[in-house]
Each structure stands twice: as C-alpha cells, then as structure tokens.
C-alpha cells in the first residue's frame, strides 16, 4: 500500500492498514504485545482459576440459592406477575420441568405425554436458548465419559442427584485425590442447584408471557430483560470488568433493569416499601437504630429479626453512592487490601478492627482480627461457619444456627 505521511505510521490491524500518529501506533503495538505476551496470559489464566475457586466458595450456601430465588421472584413481581402467582407458578414449573426432562431424555414424544400447549412451550423454551442449563450445550466440549455421567445424573431422582457427584468423585478418584474430588463435586452440586433454580424461574416467566399471547421470540427477549442474559457482554466487559468485579454481569444488568422498570412501574416499588413499613409497625423494632446498609438492602422486619434477602431492587439505593458501590464490587484481591488499609468493610461501613490489637479466631486458634477477616474474605464458607459458632455461643436455636452456617 501507499507509504504513511511524514510524522505518521502505518500499522495493520486484522488485515486492514491504518495510518495514525507515531504515538498512537506505539500505544496500540504495546497493547497488542501485552495481550499476546505468554507470561501475562499465564498470569491471567492463574488469576481466573483462583477467582473461579473463590466464586465457588462465595456461592456455596443455601442462603445464596434462597436469595437467588427471592430475587427472581422480586423481578417477576415488579414487572409482569404478582408475587403470589410468581411463587405458585415456579412450584408448578419445578414439577413440570422435571417430568419434561425425564420424558425428553427417555426419548418419549412430549406431545403424547403432556398437554400440547405445555409441550409446545417447552420446545419453544429450548429453541430460544433460555435454558439455564442444557445437555446439548454442556456436552459441546465434553468427553463421551463426561457426557454419559451427565446423562446418568439427569436420570436420577432428587435424592439420587444430591449424592451422585460425591459418590462419583469417591468412586473414580485415586486415594490421594479423593478429598479434592469430593470438595469439587460438592461445589459442582451447588452450581447445578443454582442453574436449575434459574431455569425454573425462566420457564415460569416464559410460560406466563406465552399464556398472555406474546410470541415466543418476544417472550424470550422479555425473559432475558427481566432475568438477564449473562452472555450479553462486550469483550471489554468480559476480559476486564468481570476480572475486576466477580459479579459485574449481574450488577450491570440489574442496575439497568431496575432503573428502567422503576420509571415504568413506580407503584410496584412503592407497594414493596409499604410492606417493609408495615413490618416495622407490627414489630417492636425501632427503624431509627437499624444500620443504614440493612435499610438499603431492603431488609424485611419479621418479628424481632430482619430478613436480609439481598433483593435486586436494593441496587437502586446503592446507586446513590457509586464510589462505595464500585469498591464493594471489586474482587477480594483488590478490595480486601484497601479495606485492611482503611480498617473499614466497604459493604457495611463497619470497622474491621474495633480497637488496636483486637483478636479474632480461626478454627479455634486466636489470631489478629484483621487476619480473621482476611481468611473469611478469601473463603466465604469459613465466614458462615464463624457466624454459626457465634450463634451457638449466644444460645441461638438450632434452626438459626444452621441458617447462619449455610449463609
């Protein structure tokens, strides 16, 4: 091609020649070298693996799955359904999905076993790519052995599914790797539970919209809007923002949806706020002394306790402090050092160490309070167990102790 003008440089990007200033060209070339550098790629792979392990621990709790279910119900209730219908229809969808999957995997014609409308909606649901999990998608890069293991898992009942992964881990691993295999299988089982609960919510809303006369593609797009399409990200978001903020995708999608929906359905948010105020009125709890972070989390008074379900609408209040919200979203590798340096938990605003030299505890061993916080931030289940231990020491009921242990 033609030579670059004086003071400019020509570089080729994806087969196309571009002319730019020498400074701009150097910046582009340095970035290209950085992203193609083998050592940086190895670091990123290691970082991604560690972040993945942390996320498994963070999401490993019944509390997380319960909050996820309540969050899905909240979004459906403030948009297209009422709360009672959303809950009842999800219970119905749970039974339907189990029977539909068993029939489909057993090779039985769905329209002979189920009402034609139900069978058609399920086929449309699969066809629009809304399933939280799908055998075809999961098997794309799997070995035949893993594929058969997945089929075996899906063919079992609820109890069989619960013990399938741990049993397989113990059966197939060598003696030295049994503990590691068992731990991984338990985390994998937790992930599957989350995926199935998400699939139930998506199928529920899809059926509701189809019953109202909405076309399959339009209904699918609405489901993605209300319950989010986690694959809809730009390369920059996927490669940079998700590494900096582990739950960036949910937060970004949630803020966008809540802000838009609030402008369209303010009355529904006001109804929920009235529910919270009625809870305070019917309890002995003084709203004035409730910590601000619990109010912003839309915690619901229940007797003498607050149910902090982490509802998606809470992000509207958090948006009033974008800096605080941004720092709280950071990956622990970035956030915890900042918290330790400032001696403040970004989420609640509470001090990590209430006085100099304060001690904490890790598995019965006395350690500095900041060391305890560091360990619990790195491995979230440890924080849940510490909370359960505190419940025992305070004489809490067995139910409260187990709920605290499960997050």
């Amino acid at each position: 091609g033609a030579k670059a003008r004086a003071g400019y440089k020509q570089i080729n990007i994806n087969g196309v020649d571009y002319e730019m200033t020498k400074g701009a060209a150097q910046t582009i070339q340095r970035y290209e070298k950085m992203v193609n550098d083998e050592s940086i790629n190895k670091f990123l792979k290691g970082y991604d693996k560690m972040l993945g392990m942390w996320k498994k621990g963070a999401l490993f709790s019944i509390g997380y799955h319960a909050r996820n279910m309540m969050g899905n119900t909240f979004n459906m209730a403030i948009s297209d359904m009422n709360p009672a219908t959303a809950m009842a229809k999800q219970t119905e969808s749970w039974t339907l999905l189990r029977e539909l999957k068993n029939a489909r995997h057993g090779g039985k014609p769905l329209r002979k076993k189920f009402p034609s409308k139900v069978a058609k909606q399920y086929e449309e649901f699969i066809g629009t790519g809304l399933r939280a999990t799908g055998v075809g998608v999961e098997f794309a890069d799997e070995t035949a052995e893993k594929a058969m293991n997945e089929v075996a898992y899906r063919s079992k009942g609820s109890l069989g599914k619960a013990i399938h992964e741990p049993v397989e881990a113990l059966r197939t691993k060598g003696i030295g790797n049994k503990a590691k295999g068992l731990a991984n299988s338990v985390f994998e089982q937790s992930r599957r539970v989350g995926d199935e609960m998400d699939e139930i919510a998506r199928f529920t809303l899809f059926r509701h919209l189809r019953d109202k006369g909405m076309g399959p593609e339009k209904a699918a797009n609405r489901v993605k809007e209300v319950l989010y399409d986690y694959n809809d990200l730009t390369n920059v978001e996927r490669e940079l923002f998700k590494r900096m903020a582990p739950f960036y995708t949910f937060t970004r999608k949630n803020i966008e949806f809540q802000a838009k929906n609030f402008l369209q359905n303010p009355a529904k948010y006001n109804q929920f706020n009235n529910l919270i105020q009625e809870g305070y009125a019917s309890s002995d709890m003084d709203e004035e002394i409730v910590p601000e972070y619990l109010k912003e989390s839309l915690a619901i008074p229940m007797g003498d306790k607050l149910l902090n379900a982490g509802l998606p609408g809470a992000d509207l209040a958090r948006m009033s402090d974008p800096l605080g919200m941004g720092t709280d979203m950071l990956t622990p590798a970035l956030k915890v050092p900042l918290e330790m340096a400032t001696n403040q938990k970004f989420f609640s605003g509470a001090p990590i160490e209430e006085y100099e030299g304060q001690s904490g505890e890790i598995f019965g061993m006395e350690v500095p309070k900041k060391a305890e916080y560091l360990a619990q931030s790195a491995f979230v289940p440890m924080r849940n167990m510490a909370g359960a231990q505190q419940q025992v020491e305070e004489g809490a009921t067995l139910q409260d102790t187990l709920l605290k242990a499960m997050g």
Side-chain angles (χ1 to χ4, degrees):
K3 289 184 177 181
R5 292 173 293 162
Y8 287 79
K9 189 172 182 179
Q10 195 174 71
I11 65 173
N12 186 281
I13 302 175
N14 296 328
V16 180
D17 290 328
Y18 293 90
E19 185 180 86
M20 58 187 71
T21 63
K22 289 183 178 179
Q26 287 177 351
T27 300
I28 294 294
Q29 288 170 336
R30 284 172 184 166
Y31 175 76
E32 186 178 26
K33 181 180 179 182
M34 182 182 73
V35 297
N36 291 323
D37 187 274
E38 184 178 352
S39 60
I40 291 180
N41 283 333
K42 285 183 178 179
F43 167 78
L44 290 177
K45 285 182 180 178
Y47 175 83
D48 289 344
K49 186 174 182 179
M50 290 182 63
L51 186 59
M53 291 171 62
W54 178 85
K55 287 181 73 173
K56 284 181 179 180
L59 303 183
F60 177 65
S61 72
I62 290 179
Y64 161 74
H65 296 308
R67 288 189 293 273
N68 191 36
M69 182 190 71
M70 293 180 70
N72 287 336
T73 303
F74 177 87
N75 277 12
M76 288 189 279
I78 59 171
S79 55
D80 299 281
M81 306 175 74
N82 66 58
T85 300
M87 290 297 293
K89 290 292 184 181
Q90 283 184 91
T91 302
E92 181 182 301
S93 291
W94 178 72
T95 303
L96 267 178
L97 278 172
R98 186 182 63 222
E99 294 175 351
L100 284 161
K101 287 179 183 179
N102 288 339
R104 187 166 182 261
H105 296 149
K108 299 175 183 177
L110 298 184
R111 300 200 181 207
K112 288 187 177 181
K113 185 175 174 59
F114 300 92
S116 59
K117 186 173 78 169
V118 172
K120 181 182 179 183
Q121 288 176 348
Y122 182 62
E123 290 166 353
E124 291 172 344
F125 180 71
I126 295 172
T128 52
L130 283 175
R131 295 183 65 190
T133 56
V135 175
V137 175
E138 291 179 357
F139 290 175
D141 299 313
E142 299 285 7
T143 63
E145 181 181 355
K146 288 184 177 180
M148 291 305 296
N149 190 46
E150 181 69 13
V151 170
Y153 165 80
R154 291 181 181 276
S155 66
K156 296 176 181 289
S158 298
L159 178 60
K161 285 182 177 181
I163 65 174
H164 175 77
E165 282 289 340
V167 169
E168 283 298 300
L170 291 173
R171 183 180 66 82
T172 59
K173 302 288 182 182
I175 297 297
N177 291 325
K178 284 185 185 293
K180 179 181 178 182
L182 181 59
N184 286 337
S185 70
V186 170
F187 285 124
E188 175 63 15
Q189 187 62 30
S190 176
R191 182 194 66 78
R192 276 181 165 147
V193 169
D195 283 349
E196 289 192 8
M197 291 178 67
D198 190 56
E199 184 178 11
I200 288 168
R202 290 170 187 269
F203 187 51
T204 297
L205 183 55
F206 182 78
R207 289 179 61 224
H208 176 75
L209 296 172
R210 290 291 287 123
D211 287 344
K212 288 174 63 177
M214 194 176 286
E217 288 301 324
K218 192 173 181 180
N221 289 334
R222 180 59 177 165
V223 172
K224 291 177 182 178
E225 182 182 357
V226 175
L227 300 176
Y228 314 146
D229 180 359
Y230 290 88
N231 293 319
D232 181 27
L233 294 174
T234 66
N235 287 334
V236 172
E237 289 177 310
R238 192 173 290 109
E239 297 296 327
L240 178 61
F241 294 163
K242 282 191 67 176
R243 283 183 169 129
M244 294 179 64
F247 303 110
Y248 165 83
T249 308
F250 170 79
T251 305
R252 200 271 268 178
K253 299 283 183 180
N254 188 52
I255 290 174
E256 181 181 343
F257 171 73
Q258 299 298 335
K260 179 181 177 181
N261 195 65
F262 182 82
L263 294 176
Q264 294 174 342
N265 301 301
K268 291 201 172 186
Y269 288 85
N270 192 52
Q271 288 173 1
F272 188 78
N273 185 58
N274 290 339
L275 176 66
I276 293 177
Q277 295 307 314
E278 288 173 7
Y280 281 116
S282 62
S283 70
D284 297 327
M285 199 171 297
D286 184 359
E287 186 178 1
E288 294 297 322
I289 64 173
V290 173
E292 196 63 31
Y293 80 94
L294 283 174
K295 293 179 184 177
E296 291 183 353
S297 297
L298 301 182
I300 305 170
M302 299 185 71
D304 60 346
K305 297 182 180 180
L306 282 168
L307 173 62
N308 184 11
L311 297 175
D315 277 351
L316 286 175
R318 295 176 67 201
M319 285 169 62
S320 63
D321 180 17
L323 179 60
M325 186 176 185
T327 51
D328 187 55
M329 285 172 59
L330 290 174
T331 175
L334 299 174
K335 181 175 72 172
V336 174
L338 292 174
E339 289 180 313
M340 300 278 274
T342 58
N343 191 40
Q344 186 180 51
K345 302 173 186 177
F346 289 155
F347 179 72
S348 64
I352 298 173
E353 192 180 54
E354 295 181 0
Y355 54 87
E356 189 173 350
Q358 183 181 6
S359 63
E361 191 176 286
I362 298 178
F363 297 129
M365 298 183 296
E366 185 175 321
V367 296
K369 190 66 176 179
K370 287 187 175 180
E372 176 192 64
Y373 182 72
L374 177 63
Q376 292 178 1
S377 298
F379 189 59
V380 178
M382 184 185 294
R383 183 171 63 204
N384 297 336
M385 293 306 298
Q389 182 179 343
Q390 184 179 355
Q391 293 279 313
V392 171
E393 292 172 355
E394 294 175 355
T397 64
L398 177 61
Q399 179 183 1
D400 288 342
T401 301
L402 289 174
L403 287 173
K404 194 71 176 179
M406 294 182 291

